[in-house]
């Protein structure tokens, strides 16, 4: 009797384990990769700092205060103040909000466009494929940075309002990023659509939309997650580059990129390092952390990459 | 018995780099209601392509159904518009594949995959479909259906997955079940269970089965009617008992002879000499002539037609065409 109950107990625990979803299995494997977890931790800290931090700062009004110009770090202003007497720490946090939002949003948009167009191209082939992939090729042949510069210059030329620029920058980054994603999704689709389970789906009499979005796309999701994660880092970096050159988001809206602009000034560069080191370090830490986390994710989710 | 499916002069070609290959060449046969028809033949004889042609799985630009008629319950499957065809696939004609491991979507839960045809064809809502799916899993003899419904294909064994495939196939009570070598990838004990299950569902649901196999043991166990294919052509057909007791075509005789028999351990198993002819180099002859032990001069120059012989069997062989044989 007792043995019997122990048996069922054993059975139960096996069942519990079986119940764990693919997500949970992946999470478990991810947790074993300490570096990736650390990367994820840094990213989370960055988000918390940028989105919640400013609520605890007394300097969020960004008032110009000539008496506090270019003060070195001190107890009142932990990271010092800038040329207009604004608190650097507060500005770094506020800038992080913009930079991270731009990175996330442009990633979401480019993943959406890329996955949709790539899936359609790979599944239907023929004319749809030709049209979509030639557009993608066209965008990919132009190096993305000069392309972004041209877009940015056009924005300045057309005198787009400063507060809209952030959204337009997101859009620009997505336009530059989707072709790579679309190409990858298309490649996956081309191979997946020939697999036997897709024949089985045809035989079941399913609609194209169902085959595409229920059967094929979920098979690409792991790869998409990895690409998307790595994409955020790239987008943050691109946005910073643009803003650094004054072609992205414009001051007074702070971003990490336009804050490092201070390094352009020889005097600031040499005498006031607190102006440009904090935003620079933020970019560095965030992008590195995202990339490490992304690589960890890839090891977990994309078994083909493993040896 | 009424004809459920009537295939007439079906030809399927594939376009390869070396040229056009007729994988199925003017094949005609019938499937009656409630009957199990087996198509037998060695690899490359066109038996799977026949099934794929029926299901509309032969896709341009690789190949196409070049001619013939597939009449299913009074409707021509080949000339049908895609929407009507979709309503028939999975609903009235279901299919089971050879490799259960790769026939299920690896990232979808088993339950969802069974629910899908129920929701699409029988218009059940999610809850009803789930209940029915669990019922179906129980019906195909799997314990703990609730947990199985929530697991992924990689967590189950090949035999279990093939049962799931059967559950999906019978979910909408099809009139015809096409099984393309359903037991080839499974081990022998599981094979027997799967075959028993197919027979059971055939008896209870009144469906017809078109079973494609190269295993004569499976044929003997399952078939009511047997079609023997060679190089894309039907060479012999007949009731299972007649065909096994009294094979007419030399190829069928050879097939039956190459089966190992317990208690007769020979030095070497019998095998038909030679190879299947290259489908690109077919000549107007009996395609079997160079492997045939009873080859006649006429076999090398003219193709025999399928003819009804006494006893109701049909065979395509010059041996039974009296006029020519006795020249």
């Amino acid at each position: 009797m007792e043995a019997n109950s122990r048996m069922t107990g054993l059975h139960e625990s096996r069942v519990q384990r079986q119940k764990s979803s693919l997500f949970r299995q992946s999470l478990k494997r991810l947790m074993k990769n300490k570096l990736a977890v650390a990367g994820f931790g840094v990213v989370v800290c960055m988000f918390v700092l940028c989105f919640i931090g400013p609520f605890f700062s007394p300097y969020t009004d960004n008032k110009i205060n000539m008496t506090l110009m270019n003060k070195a770090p001190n107890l009142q202003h932990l990271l010092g103040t800038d040329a207009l007497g604004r608190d650097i720490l507060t500005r770094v946090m506020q800038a992080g909000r913009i930079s991270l939002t731009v990175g996330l949003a442009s990633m979401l948009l480019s993943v959406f466009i890329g996955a949709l167009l790539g899936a359609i191209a790979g599944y239907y082939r023929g004319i749809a494929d030709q049209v979509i992939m030639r557009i993608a090729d066209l965008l990919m042949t132009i190096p993305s940075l000069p392309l972004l510069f041209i877009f940015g210059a056009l924005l300045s030329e057309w005198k787009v309002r400063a507060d809209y620029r952030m959204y337009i920058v997101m859009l620009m980054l997505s336009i530059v990023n989707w072709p790579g994603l679309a190409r990858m999704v298309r490649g996956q689709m081309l191979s997946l659509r020939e697999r036997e389970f897709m024949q089985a789906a045809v035989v079941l009499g399913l609609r194209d939309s169902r085959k595409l979005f229920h059967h094929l796309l979920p098979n690409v999701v792991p790869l998409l997650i990895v690409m998307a994660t790595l994409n955020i880092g790239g987008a943050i970096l691109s946005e910073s580059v643009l803003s650094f050159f004054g072609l992205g988001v414009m001051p007074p809206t702070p971003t990490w990129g336009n804050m490092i602009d201070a390094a352009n000034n020889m005097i600031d560069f040499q005498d006031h390092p607190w102006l440009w080191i904090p935003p620079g370090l933020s970019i560095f830490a965030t992008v590195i952390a995202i990339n490490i986390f992304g690589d960890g994710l890839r090891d977990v989710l994309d078994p083909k990459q493993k040896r | 018995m009424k004809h459920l499916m009537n295939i007439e002069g079906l030809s399927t070609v594939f376009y390869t780099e070396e040229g056009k290959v007729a994988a199925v060449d003017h094949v005609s046969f019938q499937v009656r209601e409630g009957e199990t028809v087996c198509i037998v033949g060695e690899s490359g004889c066109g038996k799977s392509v026949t099934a794929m042609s029926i299901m509309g799985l032969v896709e341009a630009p690789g190949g196409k159904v070049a001619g013939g008629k597939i009449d299913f319950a009074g409707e021509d499957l080949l000339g049908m518009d895609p929407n009507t065809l979709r309503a028939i696939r999975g609903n009235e004609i279901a299919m089971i594949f050879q490799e259960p491991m790769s026939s299920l979507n690896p990232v979808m839960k088993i339950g969802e995959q069974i629910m899908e045809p129920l929701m699409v064809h029988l218009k059940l809502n999610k809850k009803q479909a789930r209940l029915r799916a669990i019922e179906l899993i129980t019906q195909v003899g799997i314990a703990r259906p609730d947990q199985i419904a929530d697991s992924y294909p990689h967590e189950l064994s090949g035999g279990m997955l093939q049962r799931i495939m059967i559950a999906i196939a019978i979910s909408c009570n099809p009139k015809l079940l096409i099984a393309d070598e359903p037991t080839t990838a499974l081990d022998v004990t599981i094979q027997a269970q799967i075959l028993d299950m197919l027979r059971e569902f055939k008896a209870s649901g009144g469906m017809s089965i078109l079973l494609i196999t190269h295993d004569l043991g499976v044929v003997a166990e399952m078939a009511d009617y047997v079609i023997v294919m060679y190089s894309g052509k039907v060479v012999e057909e007949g009731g299972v008992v007649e065909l096994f007791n009294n094979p007419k075509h030399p190829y069928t005789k050879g097939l039956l002879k190459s089966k190992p028999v317990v208690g007769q351990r020979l030095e070497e198993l019998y095998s038909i000499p030679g190879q299947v002819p290259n489908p690109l180099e077919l000549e107007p002859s009996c395609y079997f002539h160079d492997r045939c032990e009873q080859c006649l001069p006429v076999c090398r120059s003219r193709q025999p037609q399928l003819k009804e012989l006494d006893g109701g069997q049909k065979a395509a062989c010059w041996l039974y065409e009296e006029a020519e044989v006795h020249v």
Side-chain angles (χ1 to χ4, degrees), chain B residues 51-72:
Chain B
M52 284 168 71
S53 308
I54 297 170
M55 287 316 273
L57 287 175
V58 180
E59 257 184 291
K64 70 167 194 214
V65 177
K69 254 175 56 182
I70 302 177
D71 179 277
F72 178 78

Side-chain angles (χ1 to χ4, degrees), chain A residues 80-148:
Chain A
T81 59
D82 67 3
L84 298 172
R86 295 172 295 191
D87 180 53
I88 295 278
L89 179 60
T90 311
R91 273 183 72 76
V92 165
M93 294 192 290
Q94 287 173 329
R97 278 187 184 182
I98 308 281
S99 290
L100 292 173
T101 312
V102 169
L104 262 181
S106 78
M107 173 277 284
L108 284 177
L109 195 59
S110 52
V111 165
F112 178 74
I113 302 175
L116 190 69
L117 294 183
I120 290 173
Y123 183 72
Y124 289 103
R125 300 183 295 191
I127 296 173
D129 184 26
Q130 286 295 325
V131 171
I132 292 170
M133 288 333 284
R134 291 305 78 79
I135 295 174
D137 284 345
L138 197 71
L139 281 168
M140 282 173 98
T141 47
I142 312 170
S144 58
L145 214 53
L147 190 64
L148 287 173

Side-chain angles (χ1 to χ4, degrees), chain A residues 203-205 207 210 215 219, chain B residues 86 90 102 105 116 121 147:
Chain A
V203 165
L204 282 180
R207 279 174 193 287
R210 208 175 173 94
H215 284 257
N219 276 286
Chain B
R86 206 164 50 217
S102 54
N105 194 331
E116 214 162 23
H121 294 299
Q147 283 146 23

Side-chain angles (χ1 to χ4, degrees), chain A residues 11-12 14-15 17-23 25 125 193-208 210-211 214-216 218-219 222, chain B residues 52 55 57 59-61 83 86 89-91 93-95 97-99 102-108 113 116-117 119-121 144 147 152 154-155 165 168:
Chain A
H11 189 71
E12 218 82 295
R14 239 192 75 221
V15 167
R17 212 177 324 132
Q18 249 198 6
K19 252 190 173 166
S20 70
S21 60
L22 285 186
F23 172 75
Q25 291 171 18
R125 300 183 295 191
R193 76 191 297 286
E194 304 299 333
R195 297 266 295 272
E196 209 170 324
F197 68 81
M198 285 317 292
Q199 280 199 347
V202 174
V203 165
L204 282 180
L206 303 181
R207 279 174 193 287
D208 279 0
R210 208 175 173 94
K211 280 185 270 181
H214 271 98
H215 284 257
L216 286 171
N219 276 286
Chain B
M52 284 168 71
M55 287 316 273
L57 287 175
E59 257 184 291
N83 284 324
R86 206 164 50 217
R89 283 168 173 171
N91 193 9
I93 309 180
M95 185 161 174
F97 293 89
Q98 179 173 350
E99 286 283 344
S102 54
S103 309
L104 286 160
N105 194 331
V107 300
M108 275 173 86
Q113 303 197 43
E116 214 162 23
M119 285 155 71
V120 170
H121 294 299
R144 299 181 287 123
Q147 283 146 23
Y152 289 90
H154 73 265
E155 295 173 309
M165 288 305 293
I168 295 175

Side-chain angles (χ1 to χ4, degrees), chain B residues 28-29 225-228 234-239 243 306 312-314:
Chain B
S28 305
F29 63 90
Y225 197 77
V226 184
I227 291 160
V228 183
V234 175
V235 292
E236 180 164 2
E237 59 175 89
L243 195 120
L306 202 63
Q313 254 159 293
K314 291 182 193 170

